[in-house]
């Protein structure tokens, strides 16, 4: 009849080493399935026959090593087939890492030799860093390794909400739709989406994270041999560059993969030339990487927060809780009120301790803030503690002195101390 939907199913035939690049339309999901051959999405094999549903706006590629036919149902923003990809060079890197993992596994007991590769992926924004990290992790997991994924990208990280650095073991190839499973990530809350707000705090948190991972590796030969893949931020100039060097050093990276930037690569080669155990490798950026503008990034951040509370497809039911003002202990880190220059002796600089804790009185600015729930038992442990999760302030009643917040579940919070950064979220 006249109400029948237009037929939108079509087949796409891919020759060997080609990929089908897709940007899902902004307002409708896309369905895709593998009909013949084999294909993978960012390192994870597509199961045969089963329809997969990709949410609006997602950008991905289905790549085949030996040829495949896929079927898609729905409209896309753009889609095309590419026969030139850097995938062979990427999988060659994987092969080298795999050999190093095997060597590490064969040398138990020797503290140096038993350490698998510690890979750090660097490059400007939109060079494909997260995507390459994901492929290396999924290929490793497919072969039975359990590498640790470390995401230092506070702007567009893929482990938890923005403003955090985090780590999690990857035990299975990463699901192309669901992303990284959120079982038990180790999360540190920085609270801002750019590093410049408090560079020292960022460094302190990176050190804490590295320290905990080092301890975990010491007691777990399997994850030690599997090593880690560290994704970084797209800031590569000035402070960004300094923070890259800091991360390489702090995590004792042994392989630095540089995507899409000659200059960065030669600078890193130069500063690291005396470290014989560090390889700096330049890799080509994929032509499929999509540039995302500031607005899109902001949207993605907002979606990540929504996803934390409600799930990717509204499958979670967060709980609205009410607390008395006096029940919540909220702190800010650094940037507290400074002595004005005029109040200081001539020549003295106002010194704001970047890791100073300032208690926050309940005020209007907290409305719509996303706060982290610290595992700290005492306030002076807040800086060095990881966080259990997040809450979102939805209402503040100054008359009854009650505050309403959304949390992933009902009941008391997993910690007493809350941290406020600059993360604000307005439910779309
Ligand atoms: P970075 O981490 O360097 O900022 P990403 O890896 O996040 O870059 O890539 C940017 C965007 O491009 C992401 O949305 C990603 O899914 C998409 N993308 C990356 N590689 C491809 C590809 N080969 N085909 C289609 N989309 C891609």
């Amino acid at each position: 009849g006249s109400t029948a939907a237009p037929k939108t199913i079509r087949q796409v035939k891919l020759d060997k080493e080609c990929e089908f690049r897709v940007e899902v339309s902004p307002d409708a999901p896309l369905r895709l399935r593998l009909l013949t051959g084999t294909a993978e999405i960012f390192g994870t094999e597509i199961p045969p026959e089963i329809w997969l549903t990709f949410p609006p706006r997602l950008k991905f590629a289905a790549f085949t090593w030996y040829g495949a036919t896929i079927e898609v149902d729905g409209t896309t923003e753009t889609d095309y087939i590419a026969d030139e990809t850097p995938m062979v060079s990427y999988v060659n890197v994987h092969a080298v890492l795999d050999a190093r993992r095997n060597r590490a596994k064969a040398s138990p007991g020797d503290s140096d030799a038993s350490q698998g590769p510690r890979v750090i992926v660097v490059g400007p924004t939109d060079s494909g860093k997260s995507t390459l990290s994901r492929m290396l992790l999924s290929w490793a997991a497919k072969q039975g390794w359990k590498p640790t994924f470390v995401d230092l990208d506070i702007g567009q990280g893929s482990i938890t909400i923005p403003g955090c650095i985090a780590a999690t073991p990857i035990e299975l190839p990463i699901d192309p739709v669901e992303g990284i499973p959120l079982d038990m990530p180790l999360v540190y809350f920085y609270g801002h989406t750019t590093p410049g707000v408090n560079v020292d705090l960022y460094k302190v948190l990176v050190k804490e994270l590295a320290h905990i991972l080092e301890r975990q590796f010491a007691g777990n030969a399997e994850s030690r041999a599997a090593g880690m893949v560290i994704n970084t931020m797209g800031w590569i100039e000035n402070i960004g560059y300094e923070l890259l060097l800091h991360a390489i050093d702090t995590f004792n990276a042994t392989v630095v993969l540089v995507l899409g930037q000659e200059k960065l690569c030669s600078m890193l080669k130069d500063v690291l030339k005396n470290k014989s155990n560090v390889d700096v490798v330049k890799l080509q950026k994929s032509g499929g990487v999509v540039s995302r503008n500031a607005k899109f990034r902001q949207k993605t951040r907002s979606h990540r927060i929504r996803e934390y509370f409600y799930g990717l497809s509204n499958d979670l039911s967060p709980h609205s809780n009410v607390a008395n003002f006096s029940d919540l202990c909220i702190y800010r880190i650094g940037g507290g009120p400074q002595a004005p220059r005029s109040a200081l002796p001539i020549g003295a600089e106002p010194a704001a301790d970047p890791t100073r804790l300032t208690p926050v009185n309940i005020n209007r600015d907290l409305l719509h803030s996303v706060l982290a729930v610290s595992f700290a038992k005492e306030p002076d442990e807040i800086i060095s503690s990881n966080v259990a999760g997040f809450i979102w302030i939805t209402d503040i009643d100054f008359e009854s002195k009650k505050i309403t917040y959304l949390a992933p579940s009902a009941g008391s919070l997993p910690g007493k101390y809350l941290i406020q950064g600059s993360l604000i979220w307005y439910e779309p």
Side-chain angles (χ1 to χ4, degrees):
S2 57
T3 55
K7 194 168 174 292
T8 56
I9 297 190
R10 62 203 161 104
Q11 286 189 3
V12 180
K13 209 181 148 333
L14 294 174
D15 291 333
K16 75 185 225 314
E17 289 174 28
C18 289
E19 70 184 18
F20 180 55
R21 295 174 179 164
V22 182
E23 289 184 47
V24 182
S25 92
D27 27 54
L30 179 80
R31 297 200 314 147
L32 177 150
R33 68 172 173 169
L34 177 69
L35 286 182
T36 66
T38 55
E40 58 184 49
I41 295 175
F42 299 153
T44 301
E45 275 199 61
I46 308 177
E49 304 284 346
I50 300 166
W51 283 106
L52 303 176
T53 304
F54 297 85
R57 281 178 307 271
L58 194 79
K59 304 162 195 341
F60 70 96
F63 175 87
T64 179
W65 292 106
Y66 306 108
T69 311
I70 52 186
E71 200 166 47
V72 282
D73 176 14
T75 52
T76 63
E77 182 83 0
T78 51
D79 66 71
Y80 63 98
I81 294 172
D83 58 5
E84 264 179 53
T85 77
M87 291 295 277
V88 170
S89 62
Y90 293 178
V91 87
N92 283 340
V93 169
H94 163 71
V96 171
L97 299 178
D98 203 47
R100 292 193 184 181
R101 290 183 183 111
N102 280 318
R103 239 181 295 152
K105 194 180 173 186
S107 326
D110 179 324
S111 73
D112 277 338
S114 65
Q115 174 60 61
R118 296 183 170 194
V119 186
I120 186 164
V121 184
V122 307
T125 28
D126 297 328
S127 55
K129 295 181 297 299
S130 323
T131 305
L132 176 60
S133 303
R134 185 183 270 235
M135 286 184 215
L136 294 174
L137 289 161
S138 289
W139 286 331
K142 186 181 171 189
Q143 278 169 289
W145 301 106
K146 292 176 182 166
T148 300
F149 178 37
V150 178
D151 203 335
L152 302 181
D153 189 353
I154 49 178
Q156 306 280 315
S158 37
I159 297 182
T160 183
I161 71 165
C164 297
I165 61 169
T168 190
I170 301 296
E171 310 200 334
L172 292 169
I174 298 164
D175 187 289
V177 180
E178 302 282 331
I180 313 271
L182 289 179
D183 304 345
M184 276 294 281
L186 182 61
V187 180
Y188 287 85
F189 187 64
Y190 170 72
H192 316 280
T193 54
T194 56
V197 178
N198 192 339
V199 176
D200 293 290
L201 174 62
Y202 183 86
K203 286 189 184 169
V204 167
L205 298 179
V206 167
K207 269 199 201 138
E208 287 294 340
L209 177 59
H211 177 71
I212 297 292
L213 290 178
E214 207 69 69
R215 277 217 322 246
Q216 290 183 354
F217 283 151
N220 186 334
E222 193 184 11
S223 60
R224 187 173 172 80
M228 43 185 160
V229 176
I230 306 164
N231 182 36
T232 60
M233 301 182 280
W235 286 278
I236 54 167
E237 315 251 324
N238 308 318
I239 287 172
Y241 181 67
E242 185 191 319
L243 290 177
L244 281 184
L245 295 180
H246 178 258
I248 291 169
D249 192 48
T250 309
F251 284 97
N252 288 311
T254 51
V255 180
V256 183
L257 301 177
V258 190
L259 274 171
Q261 243 236 15
E262 297 283 345
K263 183 176 148 208
L264 179 63
C265 186
S266 68
M267 280 166 76
L268 289 173
K269 275 198 168 137
D270 197 48
V271 292
L272 297 169
K273 63 173 180 276
N274 295 325
K275 296 200 172 182
S276 58
N277 63 334
V278 185
D279 296 317
V280 180
V281 180
K282 189 177 73 190
L283 287 172
Q284 201 196 325
K285 165 183 166 180
S286 167
V289 178
V290 184
S291 295
R292 300 158 297 179
N293 59 26
K295 199 168 156 225
F296 188 92
R297 285 165 188 287
Q298 175 54 43
K299 264 215 171 112
T300 312
R301 284 199 278 272
S302 170
H303 277 109
R304 294 289 298 174
I305 297 175
R306 174 164 228 296
E307 188 186 336
Y308 174 78
F309 290 107
Y310 292 97
L312 193 62
S313 42
N314 279 325
D315 46 335
L316 302 179
S317 359
H319 198 268
S320 190
N321 302 269
V322 180
N324 296 314
F325 281 13
S326 55
D327 295 341
L328 300 185
C329 301
I330 307 174
Y331 285 87
R332 290 187 71 92
I333 305 173
Q338 295 177 12
R341 226 170 257 272
S342 60
L344 293 169
I346 290 169
E349 285 294 311
D353 177 357
T355 55
R356 186 175 72 189
L357 285 173
T358 319
V360 177
N361 293 320
I362 307 286
N363 65 79
R364 270 174 221 294
D365 290 347
L366 279 167
L367 191 62
H368 299 133
S369 260
V370 177
L371 309 180
V373 184
S374 178
F375 275 125
K377 296 273 178 289
E378 299 295 334
D380 64 1
E381 293 175 357
I382 290 178
I383 304 281
S384 59
S385 296
N386 54 319
V387 301
F390 310 93
I391 64 167
W392 180 48
I393 308 290
T394 53
D395 189 49
I396 306 175
D397 185 335
F398 288 91
E399 236 149 69
S400 62
K401 297 207 182 318
K402 293 213 185 281
I403 194 159
T404 310
Y405 63 87
L406 197 71
S409 58
S412 58
L413 294 172
K416 181 171 171 206
Y417 299 109
L418 302 172
I419 316 168
Q420 181 191 16
S422 54
L423 285 187
I424 302 280
W425 182 54
Y426 300 100
E427 196 169 10

